[in-house]
Amino acid sequence: MPTVYFQTFGCQMNVADSDTIHQLLSQRGFVLSDSPDGSDIVIVNTCSVREAAEKRAKSRIAEFANKKSGGQKLWVTGCMAQRLGDALKEQIRGVDLVIGARQMERIGEVIDEALPPDESAPAVFNKSAVTDFVPVMRGCDNYCAYCIVPYVRGREHSIPYHLVETAVKEKISQGIKEITFLGQNVNSYNFEGMDFPDLLLKLAEVNGLERIRFTTSHPKDCTEKLIDAIASSNKFATHIHMPFQAGADRILALMNRKYTSGHYRGLIEMIRKKIPDADITSDILVGFPTESGAEFKETLSLVNDVRFTTAFMFAYSPREGTIAAAMKEEISKEEKHARLSELIAVQTEITRSIYQESVGKELEVLISGKQEKRDEAWMGQDKGCKRVLISCASAEAGMILKARAIKSSGMTLIAERML
Ligand code: 5AD
Ligand code: SF4
């Protein structure tokens, strides 16, 4: 049987796109390989959001290109593939096919062109996962000043409801219990008047879908209707990922984020009131051009006040073609990294204490997979976003078990099931 190996960089949208390509290839008889050596196709799905991400992807692609043998094909997909196009083939000899992120909408045809369908090849797709991703929107219209995504992924548009529902039912038939709905800004979903809360409530009625997550929420579009929808059904995970990026209003305005820190704090207050045990997580960017030391402190104080369960934290990296790339960058690399280290230290301590505060609490854990190193330990996730290790039977994978957290080891809860 032909084999394919994937290396996926970047966000969950890329994970979902790799999965879609995997499904299409499996219809042609390809099976997933856990090593690039000897695979018929090696696919590198790339990210452009920071320069370091592109560098990492390029060095992996070059490594794969050097090791190619026996007719192996090397495909590059994702945001960097979109940004650089076929120039990538000249930059790195050995790349056979470049599929930009925007081609995901017609990926079936792209794969047909690359590999004419072979009717005789049996479809093979057996996934043992219990949780998966389904995009509900593509592209982004927000043009945050630092961000390359609108340029590479193109205009924002919502995927028609019936296609989302079909994708969900397909996943459920494969044994998936939990779906994370994806979009750069899910809160602006709009399909023929159906908004995001309407979409979620309708999807919550699909049989067999046991837990629903979504990401990413943009603070400018997060509404009370959305929070009420999440609070209304036990199917919704109590986790909201809502990037605030920076604490100072001047920087937020320069970033073109279209909200103030006061508005953000108001949203957090509303979420805490309606979903008291919610895990709130965020993306935070430090060292945006002209950010002063005092403005960075405003980011720290927001972090201290909100107490995110976890956060993705980044030092600003200029991206060619974005609005911010044309701004004078006044902050040295050293200063940016010093700010990032300080922020990470503060957030790590908050994460540790939030996990510690969960000890003794009742959890609803979706069991996802076995932890490789330990025979008896199974991994799962609570209704929020916390990682949980629990002892259970293999037949219980995919079930939601009631458990009590008995210990925290930093960023993982150890739990005991409740009978
Ligand atoms: N530099 C650093 N981080 C960035 N992000 C987006 N663009 C950049 C950039 N140019 C971060 C933002 C966003 C997350 C996905 O990546 O915090 O929310
Ligand atoms: Fe980038 Fe802003 Fe769009 Fe997110 S909302 S993808 S940060 S432009």
Side-chain angles (χ1 to χ4, degrees), residues 14-53:
N14 270 9
V15 176
D17 288 348
S18 288
D19 189 60
T20 303
I21 296 172
H22 171 205
Q23 296 223 26
L24 288 166
L25 290 177
S26 60
Q27 286 163 14
R28 287 164 174 77
F30 279 80
V31 290
L32 209 54
S33 165
D34 55 12
S35 158
D37 305 326
S39 291
D40 296 278
I41 307 179
V42 171
I43 300 181
V44 184
N45 195 350
T46 59
C47 170
S48 286
V49 86
R50 280 167 292 278
E51 197 186 351

Side-chain angles (χ1 to χ4, degrees), residues 5 25 46 105 148 172 177 282 311 330 338 360:
Y5 174 80
L25 290 177
T46 59
E105 306 222 20
I148 198 153
I172 290 169
K177 307 285 188 221
S282 198
E330 290 172 13

Side-chain angles (χ1 to χ4, degrees), residues 49-95:
V49 86
R50 280 167 292 278
E51 197 186 351
E54 285 206 355
K55 276 201 181 136
R56 256 198 313 276
K58 274 191 184 160
S59 76
R60 280 304 266 166
I61 298 164
E63 205 180 297
F64 291 139
N66 285 336
K67 283 204 295 195
K68 261 173 91 169
S69 65
Q72 185 181 67
K73 298 281 182 229
L74 178 56
W75 295 4
V76 181
T77 62
C79 287
M80 190 177 77
Q82 180 70 44
R83 201 173 80 76
L84 302 176
D86 279 345
L88 249 178
K89 289 189 189 166
E90 276 135 48
Q91 285 182 20
I92 307 174
R93 294 271 162 206
V95 172

Side-chain angles (χ1 to χ4, degrees), residues 140 142-144 146-147 149-150 184-185 218 245 257:
C140 181
N142 291 305
Y143 292 93
C144 298
Y146 48 79
C147 186
V149 168
Q184 306 299 340
N185 174 12
H218 194 306
Q245 312 294 2
R257 290 288 291 177

Side-chain angles (χ1 to χ4, degrees), residues 51-216:
E51 197 186 351
E54 285 206 355
K55 276 201 181 136
R56 256 198 313 276
K58 274 191 184 160
S59 76
R60 280 304 266 166
I61 298 164
E63 205 180 297
F64 291 139
N66 285 336
K67 283 204 295 195
K68 261 173 91 169
S69 65
Q72 185 181 67
K73 298 281 182 229
L74 178 56
W75 295 4
V76 181
T77 62
C79 287
M80 190 177 77
Q82 180 70 44
R83 201 173 80 76
L84 302 176
D86 279 345
L88 249 178
K89 289 189 189 166
E90 276 135 48
Q91 285 182 20
I92 307 174
R93 294 271 162 206
V95 172
D96 297 288
L97 182 65
V98 177
I99 306 175
R102 284 195 224 176
Q103 284 182 277
M104 282 310 296
E105 306 222 20
R106 47 175 291 272
I107 188 66
E109 294 162 45
V110 174
I111 303 282
D112 278 349
E113 282 162 28
L115 301 169
D118 175 358
E119 299 296 338
S120 62
V124 275
F125 197 76
N126 44 20
K127 241 177 126 165
S128 56
V130 300
T131 178
D132 214 337
F133 301 108
V134 171
V136 298
M137 317 187 52
R138 291 199 172 269
C140 181
D141 278 351
N142 291 305
Y143 292 93
C144 298
Y146 48 79
C147 186
I148 198 153
V149 168
Y151 304 92
V152 288
R153 288 208 171 250
R155 296 305 302 253
E156 171 183 295
H157 55 279
S158 301
I159 296 172
Y161 176 76
H162 67 277
L163 295 180
V164 176
E165 192 186 288
T166 305
V168 168
K169 288 182 170 161
E170 168 89 26
K171 301 272 181 204
I172 290 169
S173 73
Q174 293 164 358
I176 298 294
K177 307 285 188 221
E178 172 187 84
I179 290 179
T180 304
F181 293 100
L182 296 180
Q184 306 299 340
N185 174 12
V186 286
N187 307 119
S188 63
Y189 182 88
N190 190 322
F191 175 68
E192 294 177 351
M194 176 190 258
D195 66 8
F196 189 58
D198 295 340
L199 172 87
L200 286 180
L201 290 172
K202 201 144 187 268
L203 290 167
E205 289 167 16
V206 174
N207 269 337
L209 179 56
E210 293 186 13
R211 191 178 269 175
I212 297 173
R213 300 179 180 275
F214 58 88
T215 195
T216 293

Side-chain angles (χ1 to χ4, degrees), residues 49-50 146-148 243 245 283-285 314-319:
V49 86
R50 280 167 292 278
Y146 48 79
C147 186
I148 198 153
Q245 312 294 2
D283 293 350
I284 311 168
L285 194 60
F314 310 103
Y316 168 70
S317 153
R319 308 306 292 129

